[in-house]
Amino acid sequence: MSLEEHRGAKNNGPRAPYTKPTDISDPDYFHKVVDCQWACPAHTPVPEYIRMIAQRQYTEAYMVNWESNVFPGILGRTCDRPCEPACRRGRIEEKPVAICRLKRVAADNRGDIEHLMPEIGPKNGKRVACIGGGPASLTVARDLAPLGYHVVVFDRDGAGGGMMRSQIPAFRLPEAVLNEEVDRIIDFGVETRFNHEVTSLKEVLNDDFDAIFVGTGAPRGRDLNIPGREEVADNFHIGIDWLMSVAFGHTSKIGKRVVVLGGGNTAMDCCRTAKRLGGEDVKVIVRSPFDTMKASPWEIEDAQNEDVEILNNHVPQKFLIEDGKLAAVVFEKVSPEIDAEGRRKMVPTGEEPVVVPCDDVLCAIGQENHFPWIERDIGLEFGEWDMPVVDKETFQSTNPKVFFGGDAAFGPENIIWAVAHGHQAAISIDSFCQQKDVRDRPPPEVTLVSQKMGMHEWSYHNDISNDERYLVPHADKNFTLKDIKMEVELGFDEQLAFDEAMRCLNCDVQTVFEDVKCIECDACVDVCPVDCINFIENSPEADLRQNLRVPANDMEQSLYVSDILPTGRSMIKDEDVCLHCGLCAERCPTAAWDMQQFLYKEGQAKNQQVAK
Ligand code: SF4
Ligand code: SF4
């Protein structure tokens, strides 16, 4: 039978109900297949920059990052890495690609980028106030200043950076890296009012700004009101305040025995900082089980490598005082139990209380928002938990002139979420200032380009490395523990970076199926190493998932469904397990499969300026 005859063969037609053919023109479809980019709040095109690093195109890789996440050098050291648990490599072996530390490689090795910075357009007469000088406000400034906005950043500290400066210790984030990326934005003509704490939003509203962005973070550390708290005030420190005091040089020592309360990343920064300021016996004591600690696993590992002990399932009960001074913290031991509603409760074990002698306590049990400076009669509503009512898409408050982002909008998150919020708020502020509908969002830029260079040749490297994840080398702790400014992580060198980059599966190089070319020879089915291609009868999705050669049980991942083919079957591919190896496209005799690179760039304020 010829191909033409085959195409003309009787199509049995769709049987209802059945699963609709996939619309690959929907930008979200292939975006979701790029697991890391989909999971990144700023939607950084990760595989694009990883390939550039493999080709030693560090400047280009830096710029891909800078466009979307604004702070590649900072985030390459400090990001909470929501992309890595999502990484496809983590589904074929234990460890994901070291996406975050590859970002740092781009920052460490890049060349000059001044000529790649956006041109600063003529002033458009609009003034925008950004309250707080952290990552959310700086992102708003970066997006709006080049478009002609006069942006004024207020911060109570003497320099920009917000929590990146005051809460992240220099041994994780060197000051020079921070300054360079912050100053680059300030150099876009941003007016700074540092050492200026805003104490009244009403005053700022009366100052003739066209829009106001609030990016003040979650600046209040939680206190612990247990017996003895007032008496031990001199040796009890709120973690984020103490870190800030260390960062600005006001605190340079601590007692030999230190208890850190809390199990998040702030607790890890506190204990490691304490080790550098004189703490010899430093314990992190957390009420939850070890495996549910909030800190990132790598932060916990780094603390343990510096001989910090972690005690779990301990609830602080009271402080012991001797000679008017803190002597110890008393803990009740608990263990987790699941109640009738399936909720986990920490239940006392009935064992003797645990007494932990100490000289100082660092309290890192959480952070809260705090808006005493926002008047309640300015049309800005507050809702649950005394948080401002903020639209989740536009970041606009109920006072249309005031926008929120970062931790100030919805509570504590992290730097990369603050950046993502900043981009979206900048879009809204631009629309608001230009009297456009803030609900009109600029669409993403999307391209899909064939990677075919010859019969069996692709312009991407589809022969994937089987290596396990490479570890980032650390400096000798005999030195790093003696110098609070000495960076612990040395970063990948070029060879390690290349080897790590080669672990990436290129999830953005998509398998694109053209059903009119398919002759249903099933050659792709035979060659696929993970059995993710199927030619079967269409049916409702739940059935379809079970009818595949390997059932598709990860409901988060899509099925690629073709139209009904001449024999009445459909091509069904489970995107979950595809390795993007290209073997299906190499084997296909009619080029019904092609490997096409999908590039997705999230819309930003500059894109809607072009559209206007
Ligand atoms: S394998 Fe590469 S492209 Fe795929 S999710 Fe991981 S880092 Fe991203
Ligand atoms: S690219 Fe093709 S052959 Fe390779 S895993 Fe994916 S579907 Fe199978």
Side-chain angles (χ1 to χ4, degrees):
M1 191 194 276
S2 72
L3 179 59
E4 290 312 310
E5 285 168 336
H6 181 82
R7 282 191 191 137
K10 185 168 167 36
N11 184 333
N12 292 334
R15 288 155 294 280
Y18 77 119
T19 306
K20 276 208 292 195
T22 301
D23 177 10
I24 62 166
S25 67
D26 175 353
D28 276 353
Y29 181 73
F30 281 141
H31 185 194
K32 198 169 165 213
V33 177
V34 194
D35 303 274
C36 49
Q37 184 175 12
W38 179 258
C40 172
H43 301 306
T44 304
V46 174
E48 175 80 349
Y49 82 71
I50 289 182
R51 275 191 301 275
M52 289 170 171
I53 287 168
Q55 291 158 17
R56 293 181 162 79
Q57 295 172 348
Y58 303 119
T59 304
E60 291 81 354
Y62 184 88
M63 289 308 296
V64 166
N65 275 286
W66 188 81
E67 281 288 334
S68 59
N69 59 51
V70 186
F71 304 106
I74 296 170
L75 284 164
R77 292 164 164 86
T78 62
C79 189
D80 279 357
R81 317 179 191 174
C83 53
E84 292 192 11
C87 172
R88 184 170 298 258
R89 185 85 195 195
R91 300 205 287 277
I92 61 164
E93 58 158 292
E94 202 190 331
K95 297 269 171 100
V97 175
I99 299 169
C100 179
R101 288 340 188 221
L102 286 171
K103 191 191 311 297
R104 173 181 167 172
V105 171
D108 286 355
N109 294 287
R110 67 168 177 76
D112 180 30
I113 54 167
E114 289 316 312
H115 62 292
L116 300 171
M117 288 294 110
E119 268 182 41
I120 308 300
K123 291 282 184 215
N124 66 5
K126 304 286 182 187
R127 295 173 75 238
V128 176
C130 290
I131 305 177
S137 283
L138 290 170
T139 301
V140 171
R142 197 226 44 186
D143 286 2
L144 293 183
L147 306 183
Y149 288 88
H150 182 80
V151 181
V152 182
V153 175
F154 297 81
D155 199 285
R156 65 180 176 181
D157 297 333
M163 58 71 67
M164 302 188 292
R165 186 178 299 279
S166 64
Q167 289 174 34
I168 301 181
F171 56 84
R172 284 211 293 128
L173 175 59
E175 204 179 356
V177 175
L178 173 68
N179 286 346
E180 196 207 293
E181 290 187 336
V182 170
D183 290 349
R184 175 159 302 113
I185 296 169
I186 308 286
D187 289 348
F188 287 172
V190 172
E191 181 185 334
T192 56
R193 296 197 194 162
F194 293 150
N195 294 313
H196 182 132
E197 181 162 8
V198 172
T199 53
S200 160
L201 184 56
K202 205 182 249 181
E203 264 177 32
V204 184
L205 277 164
N206 289 338
D207 193 7
D208 207 22
F209 284 102
D210 295 280
I212 295 167
F213 176 77
V214 178
T216 46
R220 191 160 70 171
R222 284 215 181 99
D223 206 336
L224 180 68
N225 289 314
I226 57 175
R229 166 68 185 88
E230 280 182 18
E231 293 89 321
V232 301
D234 287 350
N235 298 94
F236 179 96
H237 317 277
I238 297 290
I240 56 169
D241 297 344
W242 183 78
L243 287 172
M244 177 159 46
S245 173
V246 174
F248 293 123
H250 306 312
T251 294
S252 56
K253 59 179 193 308
I254 196 159
K256 285 192 169 49
R257 300 166 306 165
V258 181
V259 164
V260 179
L261 301 172
N265 286 337
T266 303
M268 298 306 120
D269 284 336
C270 283
C271 67
R272 296 180 69 195
T273 302
K275 287 288 285 186
R276 287 158 171 80
L277 294 189
E280 290 173 5
D281 171 12
V282 180
K283 290 185 173 69
V284 169
I285 307 186
V286 56
R287 61 172 64 218
S288 64
F290 190 81
D291 60 0
T292 59
M293 279 174 67
K294 287 208 181 108
S296 309
W298 54 92
E299 304 283 353
I300 296 173
E301 213 174 282
D302 287 349
Q304 289 176 318
N305 284 343
E306 293 179 354
D307 307 316
V308 171
E309 190 183 349
I310 298 177
L311 300 179
N312 63 355
N313 298 335
H314 282 60
V315 178
Q317 295 289 290
K318 60 180 175 186
F319 297 106
L320 289 188
I321 297 138
E322 272 171 25
D323 302 330
K325 260 194 91 188
L326 171 69
V329 189
V330 180
F331 294 88
E332 179 182 52
K333 282 197 79 178
V334 292
S335 73
E337 274 182 22
I338 305 296
D339 69 11
E341 275 88 47
R343 284 176 310 215
R344 202 197 63 192
K345 277 178 28 188
M346 301 305 287
V347 181
T349 62
E351 291 168 81
E352 284 294 304
V354 177
V355 179
V356 181
C358 59
D359 303 310
D360 282 287
V361 170
L362 299 171
C363 182
I365 56 173
Q367 284 168 240
E368 296 169 333
N369 294 81
H370 195 45
F371 298 108
W373 54 280
I374 298 184
E375 292 82 356
R376 304 301 155 116
D377 62 348
I378 54 172
L380 204 156
E381 273 175 42
F382 280 74
E384 225 186 341
W385 310 109
D386 207 27
M387 288 290 286
V389 175
V390 177
D391 186 283
K392 286 209 152 64
E393 183 189 25
T394 64
F395 293 83
Q396 194 173 35
S397 72
T398 51
N399 180 326
K401 221 177 176 181
V402 182
F403 300 79
F404 284 73
D407 293 358
F410 309 115
E413 273 285 355
N414 52 37
I415 302 173
I416 190 65
W417 272 111
V419 169
H421 289 180
H423 285 313
Q424 294 306 318
I427 291 169
S428 302
I429 291 169
D430 178 43
S431 297
F432 178 75
C433 290
Q434 308 300 331
Q435 283 92 47
K436 305 267 180 182
D437 184 351
V438 292
R439 296 237 164 254
D440 281 346
R441 316 301 291 179
E445 281 177 51
V446 175
T447 53
L448 193 60
V449 177
S450 177
Q451 300 296 288
K452 207 172 185 68
M453 304 223 335
M455 271 306 274
H456 294 131
E457 204 185 342
W458 306 105
S459 54
Y460 76 107
H461 189 94
N462 62 338
D463 187 11
I464 299 302
S465 153
N466 288 322
D467 293 358
E468 289 184 2
R469 180 172 166 131
Y470 288 88
L471 292 177
V472 177
H474 282 200
D476 185 338
K477 74 177 174 191
N478 289 318
F479 299 112
T480 58
L481 287 176
K482 290 194 184 106
D483 178 355
I484 196 161
K485 297 208 165 166
M486 184 171 179
E487 191 171 16
V488 172
E489 286 196 13
L490 299 173
F492 286 133
D493 62 20
E494 288 191 77
Q495 185 59 48
L496 279 174
F498 175 82
D499 292 339
E500 182 62 27
M502 295 312 287
R503 296 179 67 239
C504 174
L505 297 167
N506 302 293
C507 302
D508 59 339
V509 181
Q510 306 289 351
T511 52
V512 176
F513 182 74
E514 254 188 282
D515 44 34
V516 292
K517 287 186 180 166
C518 178
I519 56 169
E520 299 186 65
C521 65
D522 290 7
C524 53
V525 176
D526 296 338
V527 79
C528 176
V530 288
D531 292 337
C532 67
I533 302 175
N534 302 260
F535 286 85
I536 56 174
E537 275 197 16
N538 198 328
S539 55
E541 185 173 335
D543 298 340
L544 208 48
R545 284 181 173 271
Q546 293 311 311
N547 293 343
L548 303 185
R549 294 201 294 160
V550 180
N553 292 326
D554 185 349
M555 303 304 284
E556 294 289 305
Q557 296 281 331
S558 308
L559 294 183
Y560 187 174
V561 179
S562 79
D563 217 331
I564 307 285
L565 297 165
T567 62
R569 304 179 300 169
S570 294
M571 186 291 299
I572 317 287
K573 176 180 167 242
D574 178 9
E575 298 284 18
D576 184 29
V577 287
C578 174
L579 303 174
H580 299 256
C581 64
L583 291 179
C584 48
E586 285 178 17
R587 178 63 69 88
C588 180
T590 61
W593 287 106
D594 189 21
M595 302 306 291
Q596 300 189 7
Q597 192 201 335
F598 171 80
L599 185 60
Y600 176 101
K601 291 190 194 167
E602 184 87 329
Q604 294 184 356
K606 65 178 179 183
N607 304 106
Q608 62 179 4
Q609 286 276 318
V610 172
K612 275 171 192 164

